[in-house]
Amino acid sequence: SGQTLLVVRIANAMIQPQERFEDALETIEWLIRSGASTEQKCTGGQWNFCLPHKPETPAVPVQCKGLSAISFVRAVAQKMRTNLKDWKREEAFLVKVMARFAAAFSLSAAGPRVSIHEGIAELWEKSLAAKDSHDLTIVTADGLVTAHAHMLKAASAVVTAMLGSPMKEGKAQRIEIKDTSGKAVSLFLEILYTCSVPDELDHQSALHALDLAHRWQVDVVVAILSDLLAGMVTDESFSVITEHAILKGLERLKAAAQRFGAESKKVQADLKAGRLPAAVALLFHGGSPSKSNEPKPKRRRV
């Protein structure tokens, strides 16, 4: 039929009962880790999704030729959002598919990886959760978050300087970052300690955690979040994610956003109408988008 394995598996899952979605997600993740490319393009094929129990809902036809697994998911999701009240279940599944793409992308893109025993990973999680042993308090915009000072100092020269100074941070082992939410700080720490993220990770939380990691110069967390965000670029999140990539000089994330923008009808319409921020619009002036061959990026290990 000319369709890639990933496209076939995703499409087949869409016509299965909802209780089969989790199995499909696991299979999709396994296919990617076994070598299936999220960017390989279909040479043919088509799907016509419909709701037998709601015949009045317009069908969603999709021509697969020229679409990769990523662009197929985006194309189907975009069409389903025109009748989201009817396609809510399927659209939510596609959001989770994109999250799995992001996780797989980060595994292959953010630097060399090593396998670890699950028990070791659990020890890291227990260390993060052992608040009675935490000796550093972080004052956020909406509450206190605690951690081990030695962990932050090992990861960040910026934090080391703050905690080693005669200023109040060093004396009290207390850091104030009242422009950052506790949720963002907790996400930053979770990645730092355990290299994992929650199932339901939204792009705003990831961007706020990225701001903190960039400010504290924790390069490994910056790389992981950048690769996760590459899989979260949508018509709605495009501008804000792309601006962060440009301002922070994150080339991989910028290239992923550029590729998405080149394929998105909405982004191209906004570009022609002058609705994009100036820095973002410059990505599309004076050349074609980056041709990088890198793939786009329960609790998942990242």
Side-chain angles (χ1 to χ4, degrees), residues 3 7-9 11-12 15 45-49 60-64 72:
Q3 299 171 56
V7 167
V8 171
R9 187 65 187 94
N12 278 327
I15 58 177
Q46 63 181 11
W47 287 87
N48 192 53
F49 300 104
V60 174
V62 180
Q63 293 291 333
C64 300
F72 174 79

Side-chain angles (χ1 to χ4, degrees), residues 32-89:
I32 296 172
R33 291 183 177 178
S34 298
S37 172
T38 58
E39 290 195 333
Q40 180 185 355
K41 293 184 178 181
C42 299
T43 58
Q46 63 181 11
W47 287 87
N48 192 53
F49 300 104
C50 58
L51 296 173
H53 61 290
K54 290 186 178 181
E56 70 280 6
T57 300
V60 174
V62 180
Q63 293 291 333
C64 300
K65 185 175 181 179
L67 296 182
S68 65
I70 290 174
S71 54
F72 174 79
V73 170
R74 286 172 174 159
V76 176
Q78 185 172 19
K79 290 186 177 184
M80 287 183 171
R81 285 171 188 148
T82 61
N83 289 289
L84 186 56
K85 62 181 178 63
D86 293 329
W87 293 105
K88 189 174 182 179
R89 178 184 73 113

Side-chain angles (χ1 to χ4, degrees), residues 5-298:
L5 281 174
L6 281 173
V7 167
V8 171
R9 187 65 187 94
I10 293 164
N12 278 327
M14 300 278 286
I15 58 177
Q16 297 295 318
Q18 184 173 1
E19 54 267 22
R20 300 292 299 275
F21 281 178
E22 192 59 37
D23 289 341
L25 289 170
E26 295 299 326
T27 301
I28 290 165
E29 187 171 353
W30 177 83
L31 284 170
I32 296 172
R33 291 183 177 178
S34 298
S37 172
T38 58
E39 290 195 333
Q40 180 185 355
K41 293 184 178 181
C42 299
T43 58
Q46 63 181 11
W47 287 87
N48 192 53
F49 300 104
C50 58
L51 296 173
H53 61 290
K54 290 186 178 181
E56 70 280 6
T57 300
V60 174
V62 180
Q63 293 291 333
C64 300
K65 185 175 181 179
L67 296 182
S68 65
I70 290 174
S71 54
F72 174 79
V73 170
R74 286 172 174 159
V76 176
Q78 185 172 19
K79 290 186 177 184
M80 287 183 171
R81 285 171 188 148
T82 61
N83 289 289
L84 186 56
K85 62 181 178 63
D86 293 329
W87 293 105
K88 189 174 182 179
R89 178 184 73 113
E90 290 78 9
E91 192 270 346
F93 168 72
L94 293 176
V95 169
K96 291 182 178 180
V97 170
M98 290 301 292
R100 295 300 173 104
F101 286 171
F105 175 71
S106 69
L107 283 168
S108 62
R113 291 291 190 273
V114 295
S115 297
I116 60 168
H117 192 281
E118 185 177 358
I120 298 298
E122 290 176 355
L123 287 176
W124 293 342
E125 292 173 358
K126 288 178 180 178
S127 179
L128 176 60
K131 298 187 182 298
D132 57 341
S133 68
H134 292 179
D135 54 357
L136 174 64
T137 300
I138 303 171
V139 183
T140 74
D142 49 9
L144 303 180
V145 177
T146 60
H148 296 100
H150 70 84
M151 189 72 171
L152 271 293
K153 288 163 71 175
S156 169
V158 174
V159 173
T160 298
M162 286 192 292
L163 296 181
S165 75
M167 305 296 286
K168 62 179 181 180
E169 290 91 349
K171 291 180 179 179
Q173 295 293 284
R174 186 181 181 95
I175 298 175
E176 293 190 4
I177 45 172
K178 294 185 177 179
D179 60 346
T180 305
S181 70
K183 182 178 181 181
V185 174
S186 295
L187 175 59
F188 165 83
L189 291 172
E190 188 168 359
I191 294 173
L192 180 64
Y193 273 77
T194 71
C195 201
S196 67
V197 295
D199 269 337
E200 302 299 329
L201 177 61
D202 61 273
H203 75 274
Q204 289 291 357
S205 296
L207 285 172
H208 293 155
L210 176 64
D211 284 339
L212 180 60
H214 189 265
R215 183 192 314 176
W216 284 352
Q217 299 176 17
V218 184
D219 292 342
V220 64
V221 177
V222 169
I224 289 171
L225 283 166
S226 296
D227 291 333
L228 286 171
L229 282 162
M232 297 182 183
V233 182
T234 64
D235 286 339
E236 293 70 30
S237 66
F238 172 78
S239 289
V240 66
I241 291 178
T242 306
E243 280 192 291
H244 275 71
I246 293 169
L247 291 173
K248 293 177 174 63
L250 305 174
E251 295 303 319
R252 297 176 65 85
L253 181 54
K254 186 166 68 173
Q258 191 178 22
R259 289 195 300 272
F260 174 87
E263 297 178 358
S264 167
K265 292 181 180 179
K266 182 181 185 301
V267 171
Q268 289 301 309
D270 288 344
L271 176 64
K272 290 178 182 178
R275 291 190 291 264
L276 294 179
V280 176
L282 282 174
L283 279 181
F284 303 99
H285 293 160
S288 58
S290 184
K291 296 295 183 181
S292 167
N293 60 4
E294 298 163 356
K296 297 176 185 175
K298 304 171 177 173

